[in-house]
Amino acid sequence: MQSDSHSVLLVSHDSKLISQIQLFLVPPLFELTVSKDFNDARRISGERFFNIIIVDSGDGYDTDFAVNLSDSYSTVLLLVPSEHFDEISYRVEGYGILTLIKPFEPFYFYNMIKVAIAVQYKVQTLSSQTVKLKTKMEEIRLVNRAKLLLIEKQGMSEHEAHHYLEKEAMDRGLKRIVVAENVIRLYED
């Protein structure tokens, strides 16, 4: 599941902070995009996926952008002034947002990036599993609907309907869901 490069969006007005982070997130391991404007960052993040989004909260109270991003599959890292860290960290942790005190020590920033990468791998794995489960649930739903139609329209028992779908799929070299969709089309049209 590991990729060769991690896409990162950095949103900050602070040129010094941007330069500091650019020293850490170098190609080819990181593909860094920088935005100094939240509206521009909102547009950029809507146009493409980023593994990690680093948001400089400025004075610590403009965290809405980070919270809005928390619905995405990106790992969000929020940089917060030390005097507001406890309050803001507590407020955003329920959204799955990682927080880091700024100014930060390079060692802590490096470790937090490693945590963000690990979280991103976990998110990718879980989202992949979710897609597989949704696909399987849809297949089960369609097969059950086809069985019900065979029971209603052909007078088959549940066991006979199940056997019919399995045998048709095997005999015709089709997936069971395709046979179920054909039965549904046949009897619902």
Side-chain angles (χ1 to χ4, degrees), residues 59-61 77-93 98-102 112:
D59 65 1
Y61 289 105
L77 177 58
L78 183 63
L79 304 177
V80 180
S82 60
E83 63 270 16
H84 303 296
F85 179 78
D86 289 335
E87 171 195 346
I88 292 172
S89 179
Y90 179 76
R91 187 170 6 124
V92 300
E93 67 187 15
L98 304 172
T99 52
L100 180 65
I101 292 174
K102 68 173 189 172
M112 190 57 81

Side-chain angles (χ1 to χ4, degrees), residues 18 32 35 65 71 147 152 172:
I18 292 169
L32 181 62
S35 176
F65 178 72
D71 287 340
K147 282 184 198 178
E152 288 176 356
R172 296 175 59 200

